[in-house]
Each structure stands twice: as structure tokens, then as C-alpha cells.
Amino acid sequence: MEFERQNKSFVNQIVRSEANLSALMDNSTVNIYSLDRSLRYIAFNTHLKQTIEKLFNVDIKIGDYALNVLPRALAGELQDIYAQALKGTSLRFVKEFVFNDEPFSFSFIINPIIEGDSITGLACFATDISGEKVTEKKLAKSEARFRALIENNFDSIAVSDETFTIMYASPSVARTLGHKPEDLVNTRNPIRFHSEDWDHVKSVFEKALANPNVPMSVVTRVQHKNGHYIWAEGIITNMLNNESVKGLVANYRDVTERKEAELQQTQMTGDLVQRNKDLEQFAYIVSHNLRGPVANILGISHILQESSASPEDRGTAMQGIFTATSKLDEVIMDLNRILDTKKEVNNRKENVSFQQVVDSITLSIQDIIEKNNCKIITDFTEVKTILTIRSFLQSIFYNLISNSIKYKQPNTDLVIRIVSHTIDDGVKLVFTDNGMGIDLKKDGSKVFGLYRRFHPKDAEGKGMGLFMVKDPGGNSWGCDQY
């Protein structure tokens, strides 16, 4: 009695399990079916029956040959695959086919059914992924179109992480900077900016990091692979929070031609302004320094025209004419000297040693140096030479040194110090002395003016020295103290 009860319970469990399994199969969205060794249906779920009927308008039944309803090409491929699985191999694959001009894609899992030591059939699962495949192809096509636009774009694009390590560089980088994109990827800070622009570029990147998705514009000089610099104009956008990008996107283009044209225009404007200043300066010279001698000559000439003038008066008048004419000639010579100096800027440049220039000047005015107890101390360890016009640099050093001697403090040994420094891509020369100095608050704007004198009672001079120190562009050559 107990045996019959346990047996009935076991049978009920089996029935329930089969019912649960059947319910799972019929409610699944996966096409589930099993085949015997002759590829006839042993079982299949409702979803497969509906799929076959929908695709091929066939109502399948248990025992039907599974390949009969399929297109010939697909049936042939599946026959070979089923044969391979019947040898004991589990298979996973995607099969695409076209039926009635409509594309379909199914993902298959084929497992052999093993009973004891024999393979009695196949357990098969086929999932319709046609929709996913269509979406995938559209995405691939869209990505290919986007990539084609990026790779053929005139602008260069680089994507870096927050440490500025390049993750992507478009092919345009090669056209702009000469670097192959693959040489930049996975490299930190591979793009070199001009030293004068780095602080500005750094601040733009910092602003971009602090302001996600806000485009930041920048114009800077970037080093080409060949060593020269180009002007680049671009936009930097922080897209680190964008899951599709996760980086800082820099989009830039070469604007060297435009920028150089702008700089040239600025230079031309500056030159015109300077020429106007020069004209004003020459007008000042003509109106003040030439009118005096000319007026004296005219006045004396009137005296000579008077018949009543005594021989003594005539002699004095002739001496006056000579003095006024000499003064006039002196002013004209000064003007010629200024014009010659400006022309000299176009002469050939060479590497000139600062110490050699000082030694040459010291030798030429050695008597004056000894007479005034002057000591010249130099320190050119930081920069020893400069590419320039030798005579121009010689004139600058001579005028500054002679000015220091001319305007030394009475009863004080003169000490002149000349030091060279490197600043960015240039050179700075610092001249200092313990002389009389100049009140820069009062006369700072007049220091390099022509015929400007600040200690007329203490020493002779015409106010030419510091004017000659100023370069033709109107920039002083850097004196911290006078």
C-alpha cells in the first residue's frame, strides 16, 4: 500500500515537471525544438510553430522533416551544421538569410542529445535577432559615416583624458602637425605649445575641467614635428562625463597664414605710428635746434649789410656766423648719424660676445676710465653671446658706459655692473651704476628722447647717447638704473 502511494506521488511529480517545462517552452520568446537523427521534429514549442507559419506559411507537425520548409541555401547550410552537431559538437552561431526580399537574422544554439553512449538527436534554440541586427547595421553605417567625416575633416581633433594623455587623434593631425596619429595616442602631453603661450593654454584647460560641456576657445602656437611653430585656433570641450566620449575634446585648425597676416598688419601699424613719432621728433629738431643757428646767421647777416659797421664789428659778426654755422652743421651731423643707425639695422647679423664688446670699449677709453677711477664688473655666465649687428651693440654699450662715467657722483669711485639674463626666448642686459641717476617718476618718459638732458650743469652733452640706445622700433634696450 505504501509502495503504491510513493509510486503515485513520484508519477505526479513527473507530470508536474513536464507540465512546468511545457509551460516554460510555450511561453518562451525563443524558438525551441528537438530533432531526431534524421532531422525530423521530436518536439517544438508554440513560438517555433508560430514563427514557421509567419515566415513560410507552413503549419509544422511532429515528425515533419525540419529542412523542408526552409529556403534551399539556408537548408543546405543548416544540414551541414546539424551533421556536425550529431557528431557530438555543441555549436553557437548566427545565421542571416533573405526571404521574400526581407532580411532575417537568427542566433542558434545546437546541442547533441546524448542517451547512454549514443547521440539520439539535437536540442535546438533559435532566437530572432533581426531587429537587433538592423539597429546594429544602422549604427555601424552611422559610425562609418561619422568616422569618414572626422577623418576627412580639415580640422584636427584630439581626445585626451584628465591627465592630458591622448586617447584619439584624427588623421588631420598629420596634415597640421606632421605627427602620425598612432605616434600621439597613449602619450601624455605629446603636443608642445610655445613657452610664451603655455600659461594661457594651461588656464584654458583648467577652465574646461571646471566647466563640463562648455566650449573654451584658444589661439596658441603649437610646435610642428619639424620644429617650427604654427598658429592654431581651436575649441576645447570637457566631455569627461559623456559615456560615449569620456575625454577632453580639442578641435583645432592651422591659422598660421591668417595670424601672420594679422601680426604683419599690427607691425605695419606700429611702424606707421613710429614713423609718425619720428616725424614729430624731426619736426621738433627742425623747429628748435635748427631755427636757433639759422636765426643767428640771419641776424648777423643784417649787421654785415649795414655800411656803418666797423671792421671790429664785422670781425665779430664773421666769428658769430662761423659759430652758428658750426652749430647748424653739428645738428645736421646728428640727424645723419640717427638715419645711418636706422639703416644699419638691415646689416648682416652675427654672434657677438658681450665680453669682447666691453673689452673693446674699455681699451678705447682706458684713459677716461682710469682718470675717473671707474671699475666695470661684468657677469655674462648666463648668456655670453647674442645674434645681432656688432656695430649696433657696440654703440649701445659705448653710450651706456660713457653716460655712466659722464654722470658719476663727485668724489666717489664709479662702479658699473653689466649682467646678462635669459628671459623666455630673449636676452636681458642689466646696466647698473652708482652715479647721479635719473628721477624716473618725473622724467621716465623722456629718458630716450633726442636732445634730452637731465644734468646739464654737471656735465657736457647733447642728449644723444640714450636716444641712440633705443632701437629703431622705439623699444629701449633695458636699463634698470641709470
Side-chain angles (χ1 to χ4, degrees), residues 287-411:
S287 63
H288 290 77
N289 295 73
L290 290 181
R291 283 181 65 85
V294 171
N296 287 337
I297 293 171
L298 289 173
I300 295 169
S301 297
H302 282 300
I303 294 174
L304 291 175
Q305 286 179 341
E306 293 182 8
S307 57
S308 60
S310 65
E312 184 179 347
D313 288 340
R314 287 179 178 275
T316 303
M318 292 299 294
Q319 182 62 40
I321 288 177
F322 176 77
T323 302
T325 305
S326 298
K327 183 65 177 176
L328 183 62
D329 182 62
E330 192 176 301
V331 174
I332 292 172
M333 290 293 289
D334 287 345
L335 293 177
N336 284 333
R337 184 182 172 193
I338 293 168
L339 291 174
D340 288 341
T341 302
K342 290 181 181 291
K343 290 177 183 177
E344 204 172 55
V345 174
N346 297 319
N347 290 354
R348 183 177 60 86
K349 294 183 178 181
E350 58 183 304
N351 275 314
V352 182
S353 164
F354 295 132
Q355 191 59 54
Q356 287 181 1
V357 171
V358 173
D359 292 343
S360 174
I361 293 170
T362 301
L363 184 63
S364 67
I365 58 172
Q366 188 169 0
D367 291 344
I368 298 174
I369 290 174
E370 291 176 354
K371 181 180 178 181
N372 288 277
N373 296 322
C374 175
K375 183 178 182 181
I376 301 177
I377 301 172
T378 61
D379 181 3
F380 300 130
T381 53
E382 194 167 329
V383 187
K384 293 181 172 61
T385 64
I386 187 174
L387 183 65
T388 187
I389 302 164
R390 180 180 294 275
S391 59
F392 200 63
L393 188 65
Q394 184 96 10
S395 174
I396 291 167
F397 273 66
Y398 177 82
N399 278 292
L400 291 174
I401 292 172
S402 61
N403 260 27
S404 293
I405 296 173
K406 187 182 296 182
Y407 298 105
K408 67 183 290 291
Q409 291 279 7
N411 304 318

Side-chain angles (χ1 to χ4, degrees), residues 111-352:
N111 292 314
I113 299 173
I114 302 174
E115 295 182 8
D117 294 331
S118 303
I119 297 174
T120 60
L122 301 172
C124 307
F125 305 86
T127 305
D128 186 354
I129 58 171
S130 301
E132 290 89 334
K133 275 292 180 181
V134 170
T135 301
E136 184 180 312
K137 288 179 179 179
K138 286 182 178 178
L139 183 62
K141 187 176 181 180
S142 176
E143 183 178 346
R145 186 185 297 113
F146 176 75
R147 183 171 291 276
L149 289 172
I150 292 296
E151 293 183 352
N152 291 282
N153 193 0
F154 179 76
D155 289 0
S156 297
I157 298 174
V159 182
S160 65
D161 61 18
E162 62 271 19
T163 68
F164 306 117
T165 298
I166 299 294
M167 301 186 296
Y168 170 80
S170 69
S172 299
V173 171
R175 293 194 293 270
T176 305
L177 298 178
H179 295 282
K180 293 180 180 178
E182 57 267 27
D183 295 338
L184 301 178
V185 174
N186 297 324
T187 304
R188 185 175 182 183
N189 292 328
I191 298 176
R192 302 298 177 188
F193 299 97
H194 197 283
S195 59
E196 294 178 2
D197 301 343
W198 173 239
D199 287 341
H200 172 60
V201 174
K202 184 180 178 183
S203 69
V204 172
F205 271 103
E206 289 173 350
K207 287 179 182 178
L209 285 171
N211 298 276
N213 303 314
V214 179
M216 300 288 175
S217 60
V218 63
V219 178
T220 181
R221 284 165 288 183
V222 184
Q223 191 173 36
H224 192 275
K225 184 180 180 180
N226 295 336
H228 67 277
Y229 284 89
I230 68 163
W231 281 97
E233 178 183 61
I235 299 291
I236 299 169
T237 308
N238 177 2
M239 301 186 73
L240 290 166
N241 58 356
N242 187 313
E243 288 297 319
S244 301
V245 182
K246 291 186 177 180
L248 291 162
V249 180
N251 186 314
Y252 60 93
R253 63 175 57 187
D254 184 350
V255 293
T256 304
E257 187 175 342
R258 190 196 78 195
K259 191 65 180 177
E260 287 182 348
E262 290 175 358
L263 292 174
Q264 187 176 10
Q265 183 66 38
T266 302
Q267 180 65 39
M268 289 174 62
T269 302
D271 289 344
L272 288 173
V273 171
Q274 185 58 41
R275 287 176 183 273
N276 188 55
K277 288 181 179 179
D278 289 343
L279 287 173
E280 290 177 357
Q281 187 72 52
F282 274 78
Y284 174 85
I285 295 171
V286 170
S287 63
H288 290 77
N289 295 73
L290 290 181
R291 283 181 65 85
V294 171
N296 287 337
I297 293 171
L298 289 173
I300 295 169
S301 297
H302 282 300
I303 294 174
L304 291 175
Q305 286 179 341
E306 293 182 8
S307 57
S308 60
S310 65
E312 184 179 347
D313 288 340
R314 287 179 178 275
T316 303
M318 292 299 294
Q319 182 62 40
I321 288 177
F322 176 77
T323 302
T325 305
S326 298
K327 183 65 177 176
L328 183 62
D329 182 62
E330 192 176 301
V331 174
I332 292 172
M333 290 293 289
D334 287 345
L335 293 177
N336 284 333
R337 184 182 172 193
I338 293 168
L339 291 174
D340 288 341
T341 302
K342 290 181 181 291
K343 290 177 183 177
E344 204 172 55
V345 174
N346 297 319
N347 290 354
R348 183 177 60 86
K349 294 183 178 181
E350 58 183 304
N351 275 314
V352 182

